[in-house]
Amino acid sequence: MTGTAETGTASEPLDTVTAPPSGRVTLRTRRTLLFTGLALGLVVAAVVAAGTGQLAIPPGEVWASILRGLGLSNTPETVPNADSALWNIRFPRVAMAVLIGAALAVAGTVMQAIFANPLAEPGVVGVSSGAALGAASAIVFGWTAAGDLVTAGAAFVAGLLTTLLVYFTSRAGGRTEVVTLLLTGIAINAFAGGALAFLTFLGDSGSREEIVFWQLGSLNGARWQEVAVMLPLIAVAITGALLLGRTLDLFSLGERGARHLGVRVEAVRITSIVLVAVLVCSAVAFAGIIGFVGLIVPHLMRMAIGPAHRPLLIASALGGALLLLLADLAARTLVPMAELPIGMLTSLIGGPFFFWLLLRTRRRSGGWG
């Protein structure tokens, strides 16, 4: 699968802003408006999500609870048990949604950069299927008796090892062909799917239900302990992706063009794949498989502000956080007294979007050949 980058000429920086005709908005202004809109939308969505549930809490009381928690106010609660509900249940869930959404979106942006294809997404290197296999192993073989974080740890380690296996298996002669990497990822995904089905067969009814529920994705039961584990991993990986931003811009010129400009292609590729693995494993380990965030968000942000990767990574992080926060809010509220799997919702949204993206790519390229 090959793709074309949406760039200018090879000698023109991707974030160059030329003087626009009168009445047109500059690229810099579009970026500022987008960042501001996404940030404000994220704050509003977080307050609404925190106040929505069986115990309804007004936005003013949510803010007051934040101030009380930070020691900046001593106003009494206007809603009984509001602080307990917010700080023990809803705020950890909001924080986890923001972190996971940002992680998946940034991972998708990096994948699309190193493959130079807007249809690429993190699952192609086997990270999600590997993490699912690790989690299922922990559930079926009873490793969870050793602690609450064992399933998440098994998913993280298995996803990371699977990604590295895909990468090193696809190398030959000190180089990695993109097509070989994709085909190897497909093979590993197929094997992991078969092994996951075998583990589901081996497990008892309780283990099977837990595996199926984990695969559907959910933020239910989020805790500060899990947020504390995820935060440094995701923060470091996103920072690493931002530092690679300028280099990722050069990948749009093609592997040969990037190498001619002094880019150590293999070093950047393995670094990028490891960053993607850390981001996705951190997310999947605690929330299960949540699809299409890494495909939808980067593409929408690229359409809005162009392909320069540093601003694109920032916009994708904000957009991914906002999308997953809204999806989680919908998962909690669409069905009374029940909670929908968040991975199911993102797939229902992402499937039609992916189909539209395929048709759009076909129309623009004049066919698949």
Side-chain angles (χ1 to χ4, degrees):
M1 181 171 61
T2 59
T4 56
E6 302 166 87
T7 62
T9 62
S11 60
E12 180 180 323
L14 292 176
D15 56 356
T16 297
V17 181
T18 56
S22 178
R24 294 189 62 182
V25 179
T26 65
L27 180 59
R28 189 182 303 276
T29 302
R30 287 207 309 273
R31 289 175 181 170
T32 301
L33 291 174
L34 180 65
F35 293 161
T36 303
L38 289 174
L40 290 176
L42 187 58
V43 172
V44 172
V47 172
V48 172
T52 303
Q54 294 184 15
L55 176 63
I57 303 175
E61 180 61 18
V62 174
W63 281 114
S65 181
I66 294 173
L67 294 177
R68 286 194 295 268
L70 297 175
L72 301 176
S73 173
N74 57 1
T75 57
E77 291 180 337
T78 59
V79 178
N81 301 317
D83 284 350
S84 177
L86 288 171
W87 288 96
N88 293 325
I89 300 174
R90 296 187 188 172
F91 284 159
R93 184 162 182 156
V94 167
M96 184 172 285
V98 169
L99 287 173
I100 291 176
L104 293 176
V106 169
T109 305
V110 174
M111 286 296 296
Q112 292 172 14
I114 61 175
F115 283 104
N117 193 312
L119 301 181
E121 63 98 20
V124 300
V125 291
V127 58
S128 296
S129 59
L133 186 58
S137 299
I139 293 169
V140 171
F141 297 124
W143 301 342
T144 52
D148 294 338
L149 296 179
V150 171
T151 301
F156 183 92
V157 172
L160 186 59
L161 291 177
T162 302
T163 304
L164 295 177
L165 175 64
V166 169
Y167 177 77
F168 287 110
T169 302
S170 63
R171 284 174 60 86
R175 297 183 57 186
T176 305
E177 294 290 339
V178 172
V179 174
T180 305
L181 186 67
L182 289 171
L183 294 175
T184 304
I186 291 172
I188 296 295
N189 278 327
F191 174 80
L196 183 61
F198 180 67
L199 287 174
T200 304
F201 172 78
L202 287 180
D204 55 26
S205 58
S207 297
R208 291 170 187 168
E209 290 179 3
E210 192 173 350
I211 291 172
V212 171
F213 185 77
W214 191 90
Q215 287 183 278
L216 293 175
S218 175
L219 301 181
N220 189 27
R223 297 172 299 170
W224 287 119
Q225 181 184 8
E226 297 168 347
V227 173
V229 174
M230 293 170 55
L231 178 59
L233 292 171
I234 292 175
V236 169
I238 289 179
T239 301
L242 288 171
L243 293 175
L244 285 177
R246 294 288 187 181
T247 304
L248 294 177
D249 289 341
L250 299 179
F251 269 70
S252 63
L253 304 176
E255 183 175 321
R256 182 175 299 177
R259 187 173 283 110
H260 285 325
L261 291 174
V263 177
R264 297 173 60 188
V265 173
E266 285 301 313
V268 173
R269 181 172 287 147
I270 181 57
T271 302
S272 299
I273 289 177
V274 169
L275 290 176
V276 168
V278 171
L279 287 168
V280 178
C281 288
S282 300
V284 169
F286 291 105
I289 298 177
I290 300 175
F292 287 103
V293 176
L295 174 68
I296 297 174
V297 175
H299 194 76
L300 290 177
M301 297 303 107
R302 189 180 294 106
M303 291 170 63
I305 61 172
H309 280 89
R310 281 188 177 171
L312 180 59
L313 287 164
I314 296 171
S316 294
L318 291 171
L322 178 58
L323 174 63
L324 201 63
L325 193 56
L326 293 176
D328 183 55
L329 178 60
R332 293 193 289 116
T333 57
L334 286 178
V335 179
M337 305 301 293
E339 181 173 323
L340 297 173
I342 190 171
M344 180 190 72
L345 284 180
T346 57
S347 295
L348 288 174
I349 297 170
F353 179 85
F354 185 69
F355 183 67
W356 169 80
L357 183 57
L358 288 173
L359 294 179
R360 180 175 180 268
T361 303
R362 182 182 183 183
R363 285 197 302 268
R364 294 183 64 177
S365 63
W368 299 112

